[in-house]
Amino acid sequence: MDTYRAFLAIVISFLILIGYQYFFIGFGSDQPVPEEGAPPQVQTLPAADQTAAQQTAAQISTEKKTENKVAEVAVPEQEAGRPAEEVTVETNLYTAVLTESGAAVKSFVLKDYRMELEEESPGMQLVNTDEKEGLPMRFSWGSIAGDRQLYSRDRAQVDFADGKGELTFGASTGGVAISRNYVFHEDSFLIDLQVHVKNQSGQVLQGAAVLHQANRPFQTITAASRFLFSGPAAYVNGSLEEFKAKTRKEGPHVIQGPMDWAAYEGTYFISGILPGEKENLLKMEGGGEDETAPVSMSLTGPLDTLQPGEEKLYSYRLYIGPKKLARLQEIGDNLDQAVNFGWFDVIAKPTLWLLNFFNSFFNNYGIAIILVTILFKVAFWPITQKGLKSMKNMQKLQPKMVKLKEKYKSDPAKMNQEVMNLYKTYKVNPLGGCLPMVLQIPIFFALYKVLLQCIELRHAPFMLWINDLSAPDRLWIGFDLPYLGGIPVLTLLMGGSMFLQQKMTPTTADPTQAKIMMFLPVVFTFMFLNFASGLVLYWFINNLLAILQQQMINRQKKA
C-alpha cells in the first residue's frame, strides 16, 4: 500500500502540473456536439457549406424579405486623386488614430500599458494589421456599401466636453448614404458607435449590417503564452465560445444566435464588439497554421429591407483595452466572461479580489500574494494539523505493521484485515495525510490561472530582481546561462524549501520509497523554472508555513 501511495503521489503531480496544460487547455476549444434530436444552440459550419456572410444572414430573418425587386448597385472605387486623411483621438487612457478609408481604427495605443517591461518601451499597440489585411471596425451594408469605402470626416480633431468627444464619418455610394458616429469617453475604453444607413435611391434595397474586425496576436507568442487562449471568441446563447488555433486550421467557421459580444482576445487585452441587435452571425477565418497570421471576423446582423427614403440605425459598443475584470464587469453584457478561469472560476475570482484588496494597502502584488498565501494557510490550518498528526501516528505504527506483514505474508486478506484493525485501535486514518495536499490543488490552480491571465500582475514588480510577477524569475549575472538565461533564485529557494519540508514530514515508506519521494522536489523545481514568479512565490511561502507547522507538531510530540 505504501509503494502504491508513493508512486501515486508522483503520478498525480505529473498529471496535474503537466497533463492539465494539454487536456484542459488543449481540448477546451472544441465545439460541443449536440445530442441527437436536440435543437442546436450554436452552429459551426465547415467551409465547404458556407456562403458569403450576407447570404447566410438572410437565413436569420427570412420573414423580412419582400416581394419587391431589389436593386443591384455596384460598389464604386474610392474617389480618385484624394488620399484618405486621418484623425487622432487623445484620451486619458489611449491614443487612437482613425482613417477615412473605411472609417476604421488604424492605431490604438494604450498609455498605461507598455509593449515590454522596459521603461523606454512604447505603449501597448492593439492594432497590428494594415489596410491591405483589413483594419478593425470597418463597416459594410450587404453588397451595396463596401467596407473599404472612402469616407469624409466632419472635423479635423476631436474636442472633449463633459468627458465625451464625437467624430462622424460620412459616405454616399450606390444610392446608400452611410453616417458613422463615434463617441469617445475620456476615462473609459468603451466607445459608442452609431451607424445610420439611408436609402437615397428610388428602389427597394436589401442588405445586412456587417462590422468587421481584423487582428493579429497583440504580443509575441512565448512558450508560456502558448498554453493560454488567443484568438476570436464570442458570448453566444449564454455561454463563452473560444476558437483556438487548431479549430481555425479547419477553415472558416460561422456561429449564429443571440450574441452579447464578439471579440479578438489576447492573454491580457481584447478588441471587442457589443452589438445593440443581439441576433447576429459571426464569421471567422485565418490565423490557422501560422499563429502570427491575421484573423478576420465579421459580425453580421439580420437582413433588412429599406424602402426609398427609409433609414436604419445600427448601434454598437466597442471595447478596445485591457482585460481587467473590474472594468469588464462595469460594462455588463457578460463581457467579464472574457476573463476565463475555467473550472477554477469560483476560487480564482475571490482570490483576485483579495490580491487587489491587499495591493490597495501595500501597492505591491508580491506582498499581496504572501498575505493571500498566509490567509489560505490559516483557513486550512486545522485540517492540515489533523493530517500531519495522522502521518506522525502512522510513522509510530510502522514497526507494528512490519510485524503484521511478516506474520501474515502468506495470507494477504488476513494481513489487510489486521492492518485495518490496527488503524482502528490506534484511531489512525491512513488517508489523513493526503487530505492537505488534495485541498491545495484547486487553490494552486486558481492562483496559477490568476497569475497568468490577470492583467493586474502583468509587469507588476515585487522586490530586488523580481520585476514582473507574471514572468519567470531570473537574476541576471551579466551573461546568459544555457536554457535559463539568468539564475532562477526564487525557484531554487522553493525547491530547497520543498526538500526540507519533505525531510521533516513523517513517512511510513521504506528507504527505497523514501528516496523516490525525496526526488519529488527536484522534479517540481524543474517544472517551476518557467512558471510565473508570483506562483513560485506562493509555493515558496506555502512551503515555509508548512515547515513551521510541522516543527510545531514535532515539538508538541516531544513535550
Side-chain angles (χ1 to χ4, degrees):
M1 181 176 178
D2 293 331
T3 304
Y4 171 78
R5 290 175 61 192
F7 280 101
L8 182 61
I10 296 175
V11 171
I12 290 176
S13 299
F14 273 95
L15 287 177
I16 291 172
L17 293 173
I18 297 178
Y20 171 83
Q21 297 289 348
Y22 183 74
F23 289 104
F24 292 125
I25 297 178
F27 290 161
S29 62
D30 292 343
Q31 298 301 305
V33 179
E35 296 180 4
E36 186 176 355
Q41 297 298 313
V42 179
Q43 259 186 338
T44 302
L45 308 178
D49 296 334
Q50 294 177 21
T51 59
Q54 65 270 21
Q55 292 173 320
T56 313
Q59 299 174 7
I60 301 176
S61 303
T62 53
E63 70 277 0
K64 293 187 176 182
K65 290 184 178 179
T66 177
E67 294 180 357
N68 297 329
K69 183 178 180 181
V70 179
E72 296 182 1
V73 184
V75 180
E77 298 293 329
Q78 293 186 0
E79 298 175 36
R82 185 174 80 83
E85 296 182 349
E86 298 174 354
V87 180
T88 299
V89 181
E90 195 87 27
T91 74
N92 297 331
L93 301 176
Y94 60 84
T95 300
V97 177
L98 282 78
T99 174
E100 288 183 325
S101 178
V105 181
K106 188 174 183 179
S107 173
F108 204 95
V109 178
L110 306 185
K111 294 184 175 181
D112 296 332
Y113 300 92
R114 300 190 298 272
M115 292 289 291
E116 304 295 340
L117 180 62
E118 293 74 17
E119 288 289 340
E120 62 274 13
S121 177
M124 189 67 203
Q125 172 65 266
L126 298 187
V127 177
N128 297 320
T129 55
D130 55 29
E131 291 194 34
K132 183 178 180 181
E133 296 167 334
L135 295 173
M137 310 312 164
R138 295 173 290 116
F139 177 85
S140 61
W141 195 80
S143 61
I144 298 171
D147 59 315
R148 298 179 189 272
Q149 173 67 31
L150 184 65
Y151 285 74
S152 297
R153 57 184 179 167
D154 69 337
R155 65 197 69 189
Q157 66 178 34
V158 176
D159 297 317
F160 285 84
D162 298 326
K164 294 182 179 180
E166 294 190 33
L167 177 63
T168 301
F169 292 92
S172 181
T173 176
V176 175
I178 299 179
S179 174
R180 301 187 60 192
N181 178 252
Y182 288 93
V183 179
F184 305 93
H185 306 270
E186 280 190 308
D187 295 303
S188 174
F189 294 101
L190 198 64
I191 302 171
D192 297 317
L193 173 60
Q194 290 190 329
V195 183
H196 293 263
V197 177
K198 184 175 182 179
N199 181 1
Q200 293 183 324
S201 73
Q203 306 173 74
V204 177
L205 302 178
Q206 279 188 334
V210 186
L211 196 58
H212 302 265
Q213 278 251 51
N215 302 86
R216 292 179 184 272
F218 297 127
Q219 284 189 288
T220 303
I221 298 174
T222 63
S225 65
R226 289 182 188 278
F227 295 118
L228 300 171
F229 173 70
S230 179
Y235 198 83
V236 189
N237 289 320
S239 65
L240 178 66
E241 300 290 338
E242 296 178 336
F243 294 83
K244 295 181 173 65
K246 71 172 187 177
T247 305
R248 300 197 297 270
K249 288 177 184 178
E250 302 170 4
H253 280 72
V254 173
I255 58 173
Q256 67 181 53
M259 195 170 300
D260 286 356
W261 55 265
Y264 184 90
E265 292 188 46
T267 304
Y268 300 112
F269 304 97
I270 183 173
S271 178
I273 302 170
L274 293 81
E277 176 69 47
K278 295 300 183 183
E279 192 69 29
N280 283 276
L281 177 145
L282 178 64
K283 180 181 179 181
M284 299 152 289
E285 57 185 327
E289 296 290 342
D290 184 2
E291 294 177 325
T292 63
V295 175
S296 65
M297 305 167 60
S298 57
L299 187 67
T300 305
L303 186 71
D304 287 309
T305 301
L306 295 183
Q307 301 294 330
E310 187 179 359
E311 182 176 327
K312 175 72 176 180
L313 171 64
Y314 302 96
S315 298
Y316 305 90
R317 291 189 297 163
L318 315 176
Y319 182 89
I320 308 174
K323 289 170 66 174
K324 193 167 185 178
L325 188 60
R327 284 187 179 273
L328 302 183
Q329 287 173 335
E330 289 176 1
I331 292 171
D333 279 337
N334 293 297
L335 190 58
D336 61 302
Q337 296 300 313
V339 181
N340 180 23
F341 295 120
W343 292 3
F344 304 98
D345 191 83
V346 68
I347 300 175
K349 286 186 177 177
T351 300
L352 176 59
W353 183 89
L354 283 172
L355 287 172
N356 287 326
F357 174 77
F358 287 128
N359 182 68
S360 66
F361 290 99
F362 299 96
N363 197 30
N364 188 308
Y365 275 103
I367 295 176
I369 290 172
I370 293 174
L371 293 176
V372 167
T373 306
I374 293 173
L375 190 63
F376 283 157
K377 193 66 178 179
V378 169
F380 291 113
W381 189 277
I383 299 176
T384 307
Q385 189 88 346
K386 186 177 293 186
L388 291 174
K389 286 181 179 180
S390 178
M391 292 177 68
K392 192 75 175 178
N393 292 333
M394 283 284 292
Q395 189 180 37
K396 289 182 178 181
L397 291 180
Q398 185 63 18
K400 298 181 182 296
M401 292 180 64
V402 171
K403 290 181 179 179
L404 285 176
K405 290 178 180 179
E406 181 65 27
K407 182 177 180 180
Y408 298 105
K409 60 182 179 181
S410 59
D411 189 353
K414 181 65 174 177
M415 180 185 67
N416 289 334
Q417 182 181 353
E418 291 298 323
V419 168
M420 295 306 296
N421 289 335
L422 188 66
Y423 289 152
K424 187 175 180 180
T425 301
Y426 288 90
K427 298 180 180 180
V428 172
N429 181 1
L431 300 179
C434 300
L435 185 59
M437 180 174 288
V438 172
L439 290 174
Q440 287 186 60
I441 290 173
I443 296 172
F444 171 82
F445 278 114
L447 271 170
Y448 175 80
K449 300 284 282 185
V450 167
L451 296 175
L452 285 184
Q453 290 185 228
C454 288
I455 197 167
E456 288 88 345
L457 278 298
R458 181 180 184 264
H459 295 171
F462 174 38
M463 60 182 292
L464 301 176
W465 71 94
I466 303 175
N467 52 14
D468 186 355
L469 287 165
S470 68
D473 89 283
R474 295 292 187 270
L475 176 61
W476 303 103
I477 55 176
F479 59 91
D480 284 349
L481 296 174
Y483 177 70
L484 296 174
I487 302 175
V489 179
L490 185 61
T491 310
L492 294 175
L493 289 174
M494 184 278 299
S497 67
M498 192 172 183
F499 179 82
L500 179 59
Q501 180 190 2
Q502 199 80 359
K503 289 283 288 184
M504 294 179 62
T505 302
T507 178
T508 60
D510 59 37
T512 302
Q513 295 167 3
K515 289 179 181 178
I516 293 174
M517 295 303 294
M518 291 305 295
F519 186 69
L520 205 56
V522 178
V523 175
F524 269 66
T525 301
F526 274 99
M527 289 195 305
F528 273 64
L529 282 175
N530 288 315
F531 277 16
S533 54
L535 188 66
V536 180
L537 177 63
Y538 156 74
W539 202 258
F540 175 55
I541 299 301
N542 190 70
N543 287 346
L544 294 181
L545 294 173
I547 290 171
L548 173 63
Q549 189 172 20
Q550 185 63 60
Q551 183 66 18
M552 292 173 62
I553 291 176
N554 292 345
R555 287 183 178 179
Q556 289 176 2
K557 294 298 180 180
K558 289 179 181 178

